[in-house]
Amino acid sequence: MDSVTQVVLGSAIGAAIAHKQLGRSALIIGGVLGTLPDLDVFMPAADAIESFTEHRSFSHSLFVLFPFAFICFAVLKLKFKSDMIANQRLFWLCCLTLITHPILDAFTSYGTQLFWPLAIHPISIASIFVIDPLYTVPLLVGCVYLWRGTDKTKARRVNHIGLVLSSGYLLLSVLIQTQMLNKVELALQSKGIATDKVFISPLYPSLNWWIAIVIDDGAYYDVKLNALTNSLVLSEKQDLGLGVVKVTTPDLALLDWFTDGFIRLEDVDGRLVATDLRMKTGTVDYAFKFALAEKDADGWKEISSLRL
């Protein structure tokens, strides 16, 4: 999710755990810890594919963040004594604000490596758009109340309500996604199209418009759905371009693993272009396209990947 959402989620959780004991400090600590995992964007990368696939890897791994929570706890323990906040409560303040960041990210389309360094496909539930005000605003309202409110009891109640509403919205996104997936599978079955490789996600910052990518024997289909009008539009069969290049480059293999095979290959002006089919925003083009190789007289020559 976007940085603002991660900050207010961390602040809201931090306040729910320790606002009574630490006051505004709980909001600040929660916000800082809630955004820490995304600092991996500042790590140097060899090329565009490495940057793409290394984001949300080690810094989002539960195997890394849980031990890191103990380090944060030890540091904060130097400032906050046991008579101010219990050790157990202080630890959970550190732990939950850290691990809820990658767990929320896993509900988006990008893919989050929750179990890095295990060679498991990134988790991508893809039930919510990467920016969704309907999820963020209840958390933001609660945090503002806590920061500015004079009635602390009421402010904490508002914060709790915000957490319940945002969590309920996340659950609703999964339920609607399940309904949309069922519609897609029924439509595909009626046309004799395989349903064993389908990726479905919201098109916009809402739970109304959805898009499904269906892969079937070297081809793919776009399926656009509207939850309110109950409409479904299936595209014509489109080529994945798997025959464009016969040799798999390391970058192509890595991209194929990261996207779980939801990529399209094209020869664009003598360059091999790979497109992540999972992330498309309405009528706007796909979010992630990469040039992986160039064609010369001897065939395809691998290049340092570039994001287009």
Side-chain angles (χ1 to χ4, degrees), residues 157-219:
R157 188 180 304 117
V158 171
N159 184 60
H160 292 156
I161 292 172
L163 282 167
V164 170
L165 290 175
S166 63
S167 300
Y169 184 77
L170 202 57
L171 176 59
L172 178 64
S173 75
V174 176
L175 295 176
I176 295 177
Q177 182 190 48
T178 302
Q179 292 179 336
M180 296 298 100
L181 180 58
N182 290 338
K183 283 178 60 65
V184 170
E185 290 177 342
L186 288 173
L188 295 176
Q189 289 169 3
S190 69
K191 294 183 178 296
I193 301 172
T195 62
D196 56 342
K197 199 165 183 66
V198 180
F199 185 91
I200 185 168
S201 62
L203 260 179
Y204 304 102
S206 75
L207 302 181
N208 183 35
W209 283 99
W210 296 75
I211 188 168
I213 306 298
V214 182
I215 291 181
D216 179 31
D217 192 25

Side-chain angles (χ1 to χ4, degrees), residues 132-144:
D132 195 329
L134 292 180
Y135 176 84
T136 307
V137 167
L139 298 171
L140 181 60
V141 170
C143 290
V144 170

